Each structure stands twice: as structure tokens, then as C-alpha cells.
Amino acid sequence: MPATRSTAGSSSRSSAADRRGQMNDVAANPYDAVAYPGHAFSQTHPAKLATIAHIHGMSPAPMAGMRVLELGCGSGGNLIPMALRFPRADFLGIDLSRSAVELARRNAGALGLANVAFEQRDIMDVSAALGRFDYILVHGVYSWVPQFVRDKILAIFGELLAPQGVAYVSYNALPGGHLRDIARDVMLFHTRDVSEPLERVRTARAALKSFAEATDPDSFYGAALRKRLQQVDELPDAVLYHDDLNPIARAFTVHEVVSAAAGHGLKFLAEASFPNQFGTAGGAAQQLLAQVGTEDPLAREQSLDLLIGRSFRETLLCRTEVALRREMDADSLSPYHLSAYVRQVEISEQERRPGVDRFQFQQGVAVSIDLDSCKAALRALGRAWPASLGHGDLIARALAEIGPVADREREAVRLSEALFAIFKAGLLDIRLEPPQVANTISERPVASRLARRQAESSSEVTDLLHRAVTLDSIVVRKFVCLMDGTRDAEALLADLNLFLAEAHASGEAPPGLPKLATRDEVLMHLEDVARLALLSG
């Protein structure tokens, strides 16, 4: 898995006994021994997958009545937010870990969800009896199971995917996976005789640190070990244990996965990270990719991997008989709703040029813009965040802001082209169906029901864009819990101060906890909650 992210859940590490001679003993499942952190993954959300399918000419199922299956669902951190958002849709999660499934059921029950079910089941036992699904998600499983289970996953796609359905599968990718395996070789060798999970993690970390620091930092090998050590230091123990210390884990080229899928009537649709921002590379890289051509999208994707050393993929598959549209131009964005967390920033005296303004996106990328209508459009998106604007509405707002122009139609075309270029760079999010999220603070604001529940026991909550976000203090967590629609700003301030007073009076206040909140701080918290896409709309 990527070094900065954990997977949504666990997976089947065994199959039917007659296939492998292994005991399907739930008590022996490593995911019962060490729970895997479970949360939402925006790249797996059906709204994202439906948009990618639609832009490629497919007719994806509407969100309201869709059927979604997740293999390796863990404790439901990925499915439950979807089920809460789409009450008329149907969701099914399957996982081998009994403890994870039981937790998922408790969490879904606490929210009163009747449209999501969780089953403790081996992937090898999944059959056509479950029916057809519009979206099938397999995140953090494919690279970490035996080959026969991988074959079964692709067979499930072929058997259960609806005619216009989309299957999502993530896996460690090559050639970048080779660099990761340099560190895995060190850790797996030194933990070969260690079985206790926490001791296995401790031994692996210590071994990697010792070897990385002892290598020549100027050598390729030494640089690779040191870089991976930095990444491993940021991984939670459970993630390292399941992802890197799994001895059967392996990485794949995208053409390997797609070739195997073809045997089950499937073909490559796109990457969940679409549009691939590396596709806009310049200079020698762009010239090299141009030689590959656009006729074979899979060849282009494989060339990209070889060019950038990709180590993780999130591949989307569809049925072979589906006709796909690969060509895109500036008009391609017209059916969609656009969003971006973007703001205008100052330009230094040395970099300042007449008519040029700079905008910074959430990804940390700064873009210099000289087209007045594009500047106006980005300001409009910034004001609308986290909500989205329809493409036509955005064009109209931008043109209205800049005032009369000599050729309004030509200006609209130029703006569409500029927005398309920003989209291809991976800086604009597009949705076929706009997310239901508020961007204004009402008199009695309401935070997401799921986020309120999660904030009671965790600093990580799921926002209404299906992302895992962190609330940076116990005060903010309590503030989110209070935002149930019954309190205005004054009541929020009063109840927040009551919480602070009780915490200090009990003697259990954590270090640094303030004794009193102010009205200005409440207003700041409200703005933060809105920016984090936690306000229900």
C-alpha cells in the first residue's frame, strides 16, 4: 500500500480447505490478532467511479439505487459513509475477520442503517448467488493474498459485475515496488523467526534502521533504504505488520493485472486517480509518451509507470463489450460539477508580472494565471468550496465578474480550455452528481451525523466528500459533537465552555486544554468545520 495511507480493511488470507489444505480458522486470522485501521477512501467512492465511467462514454448506475460490493471491507469504514449518504442504495461488505465484521455491524446499527450488510465470509466462497453489482471495490487485498485468491477476485468481477458496472482493484505496482522490496528484504529476513505481531514490528523497524544508517548514503542502495526508512517511520504498526511484513505480498505491472482480467471478460477503463497528472508531463518525458501514442491506453499507462517509477495503482475495469470513448477536449467537462479548494496568493516582487495572478490549490500546487475569466472562475470555486459548481454556472459567474468583453463566446471558449488544462493537471475535481455538502454556515449549523459520532472517540472523521480528515484537538472534536442543529453560535459557545469547565474540575484535562473559549474562536471553528466539508447540506 502507499506509504502515506492505510487500506480500508482486511482480506481473505486463505481459501476453501480443499483448494489449499489450510485451515480456515477465524481465530488464526492475522486481522483478528491485529486490527487494521479502517476509514474512508475517496478514490473508491461510486460517485468518483461513476464520473470516470461517464466521461469514458459509459452509462453508470445512478447513485440512488446502486448496488455496491466491497471485498475486504474491514470494520466498515469505507462502506458505512456511503450507506449513510445513499439510503436507497444497497451495500454489502465481506471480510474474513470476525472481529472486524462484528465492529462494522455495531457501527452500522448505531447509525440505524438498514441498507448495508456485513458478512464474515471467505472470498473463495463468494458466488453468483449474491446477484449483480454496479460497483465492486477491492482495496488493499490483491497484492497481499495467494494467487488463487487473486484469480477468484477477478472471477468475481467477471461474474457479478453489472453490464455497465465498474470494478475497482488496488495493488502494489511495478517498477516502484522493486524499491520498496529492498527494505522488505531486510525486514523479512530479520523477522523470519518472530511470530508475535508487536515484536515482529519492533524487530523489523530496528533492523531497517540499523541497515539503512550503515549503508553508503551516496549509493543507490543506501539512498533507497534511507528513503524507505523515512516512510516506514510514519506508518502505524498495524499497517507495517499487514502490508510490509506479509511474506507473500507482491507487486504487479498494470499490464499483468489487465491481462489476467481479460480472461474474465474485463478490460481496462482508467485509473481511479483519473486524470493522471503525469500525463501532462513536459519536456523529454512528454516526447517519450508521445511516441507511445494514444491508441493503446494501456500501453501509455505502462509507459507512465516505467517513466515515474509508480509503486501503487488503483485500476478500474469494465466489461469487454462496453464501448469506451477515449478522446477528451475542453467541451468534455460541460456535463459535470467542478470543485477545488483554491485561493489567490501573493506574488513576490521578483516574480510579479503585469496581469498575472497566482492561485494555490489544496495539493500545494501554485499556478500563475493571466486570463481574467480564469482568475474569476478560480475565485468562484474558492468561494464555493467545499460545494461544487456546474460547468455552465461557473462559466457564467466568471464572465459576469469580469464584465463586458469584445467577444463573449470566444472568452467562454478560452475559459473552458483553461479549466480543462487545470483539470488535466489533476487540480480540479469533477462529479456527475454534486456532493451534498454545505458551504455556508446556518444559524444552527449541523455537522455530519457520522462525523459527530466518530469525533466522540477519534480525532479522525469522515467528511462529506468521503475523505478521512483529522480534527487537531479535543476542543474541535467536542465542538463537532455539539453541532447537531439545536445550537446557534451563542449556545455552542456556552456548551463548549461548560465542557472545558467540567474537564478542568475533574482533574482530567489534558495538558494545554484552554479554560475558556471565546466567541471569535467559535466563529473560527465554524469556518474550519465548513472548510473540512463536515457541514451537512
Side-chain angles (χ1 to χ4, degrees), residues 163-215:
Q164 289 287 319
V166 177
Y168 166 105
V169 58
S170 65
Y171 49 94
N172 282 344
L174 296 173
H178 290 307
L179 298 178
R180 180 174 182 165
D181 284 343
I182 291 175
R184 285 186 72 237
D185 289 343
V186 173
M187 294 188 288
L188 289 174
F189 177 76
H190 284 273
T191 58
R192 65 194 184 282
D193 297 322
V194 182
S195 57
E196 198 282 322
L198 292 182
E199 180 61 20
R200 186 170 169 81
V201 169
R202 187 199 67 78
T203 302
R205 290 189 187 277
L208 180 57
K209 180 178 175 63
S210 297
F211 275 76
E213 293 179 349
T215 58

Side-chain angles (χ1 to χ4, degrees), residues 155-311:
I156 291 170
F157 289 167
E159 194 171 22
L160 274 60
L161 194 63
Q164 289 287 319
V166 177
Y168 166 105
V169 58
S170 65
Y171 49 94
N172 282 344
L174 296 173
H178 290 307
L179 298 178
R180 180 174 182 165
D181 284 343
I182 291 175
R184 285 186 72 237
D185 289 343
V186 173
M187 294 188 288
L188 289 174
F189 177 76
H190 284 273
T191 58
R192 65 194 184 282
D193 297 322
V194 182
S195 57
E196 198 282 322
L198 292 182
E199 180 61 20
R200 186 170 169 81
V201 169
R202 187 199 67 78
T203 302
R205 290 189 187 277
L208 180 57
K209 180 178 175 63
S210 297
F211 275 76
E213 293 179 349
T215 58
D216 178 0
D218 294 326
S219 69
F220 174 86
Y221 183 73
L225 274 186
R226 289 164 186 260
K227 179 62 176 178
R228 186 56 185 159
L229 174 62
Q230 294 175 1
Q231 296 170 339
V232 165
D233 283 345
E234 298 176 0
L235 290 179
D237 286 350
V239 175
L240 180 64
Y241 175 71
H242 289 297
D243 287 4
D244 286 78
L245 300 184
N246 179 345
I248 68 169
R250 60 158 295 196
F252 300 87
T253 60
V254 62
H255 71 79
E256 280 183 278
V257 175
V258 175
S259 176
H264 299 278
L266 305 164
K267 68 179 178 182
F268 178 76
L269 169 59
E271 279 296 294
S273 58
F274 178 88
N276 191 331
Q277 61 265 39
F278 300 109
T280 59
Q286 189 64 34
Q287 293 177 20
L288 178 62
L289 293 173
Q291 295 174 15
V292 178
T294 58
E295 294 78 13
D296 185 351
L298 185 58
R300 183 177 177 84
E301 289 292 323
Q302 187 62 76
S303 297
L304 277 170
D305 289 2
L306 296 172
L307 180 66
I308 66 175
R310 196 199 303 263
S311 61

